[in-house]
Amino acid sequence: MLTRAFINIPFPDEERLTLMQLGGMIQFLDDLFDIWEDSNTNDVTLATSTRNPQLLEDFYNEQLERLFSSCNTICKNRRNLHKFNAIALLLFVRGHVMLFQLQELVKQNRSFNIQSCSREQLICDMATLRNNLKAMTMFIKHSRMIYA
């Protein structure tokens, strides 16, 4: 992107859309992992404003599918595409782990109200073995996206 800006090479519309989708997914992932902090500073995000984590998960999956579909459209080198998809999936399965954690809160409390959740309930520690195993499981589950 930076190189194109310096030498003034225009972005095709499909490429611009894909980069915007990637940025949106990264921001959404950040919002998921900052849910505790954002709720305490009254920052309004999709994550802090939901009463139904299933809707967040549905939206997350839909946007992830769109991102991979867009990547498949613009990338002509299949080897590079598969490398990018694998790296992106490694990043984005972390969001699935956080969404799973939010879903567990609903099962425990029969509802979801972010204001009644503790810090421990809203912080997803990806350094734990348990969460890393969940991430690996999610990676395997969604690995079809790599070679789509």
Side-chain angles (χ1 to χ4, degrees):
M1 239 168 57
L2 185 60
T3 303
R4 285 181 176 220
F6 284 134
I7 58 176
N8 198 22
I9 299 174
F11 280 99
D13 288 342
E14 300 86 15
E15 196 171 321
R16 184 182 315 275
L17 175 65
T18 302
L19 289 171
M20 290 180 69
Q21 288 172 323
L22 177 61
M25 282 300 298
I26 291 170
Q27 182 61 55
F28 190 35
L29 184 63
D30 178 69
D31 290 346
L32 287 172
F33 278 89
D34 287 346
I35 194 169
W36 167 255
E37 182 180 327
D38 289 345
S39 68
N40 284 319
T41 57
N42 296 319
D43 289 341
V44 178
T45 67
L46 283 174
T48 61
S49 61
T50 191
R51 291 260 192 208
N52 184 350
Q54 182 61 53
L55 294 176
L56 286 178
E57 186 172 354
D58 293 346
F59 180 76
Y60 192 80
N61 288 330
E62 177 185 312
Q63 295 307 307
L64 198 55
E65 289 278 348
R66 283 185 178 179
L67 173 63
F68 283 107
S69 177
S70 291
C71 290
N72 290 338
T73 300
I74 66 167
C75 188
K76 304 305 177 211
N77 182 314
R78 302 313 279 174
R79 186 170 172 229
N80 288 342
L81 172 67
H82 295 160
K83 283 182 190 178
F84 173 82
N85 285 351
I87 292 167
L89 189 58
L90 280 172
L91 173 67
F92 292 123
V93 294
R94 300 167 66 87
H96 283 103
V97 174
M98 180 62 185
L99 289 162
F100 178 82
Q101 182 171 313
L102 296 178
Q103 292 283 14
E104 288 298 305
L105 288 173
V106 172
K107 288 179 186 173
Q108 292 169 6
N109 303 325
R110 298 194 192 276
S111 66
F112 181 75
N113 182 348
I114 196 168
Q115 281 69 36
S116 65
C117 293
S118 69
R119 181 182 190 279
E120 291 75 28
Q121 291 174 312
L122 294 177
I123 299 290
C124 184
D125 184 358
M126 289 305 297
T128 66
L129 178 61
R130 181 175 180 229
N131 284 339
N132 276 290
L133 290 173
K134 285 181 193 171
M136 286 192 299
T137 301
M138 292 294 185
F139 183 86
I140 292 166
K141 178 182 174 183
H142 294 284
S143 62
R144 64 177 167 65
M145 292 181 179
I146 295 173
Y147 301 104

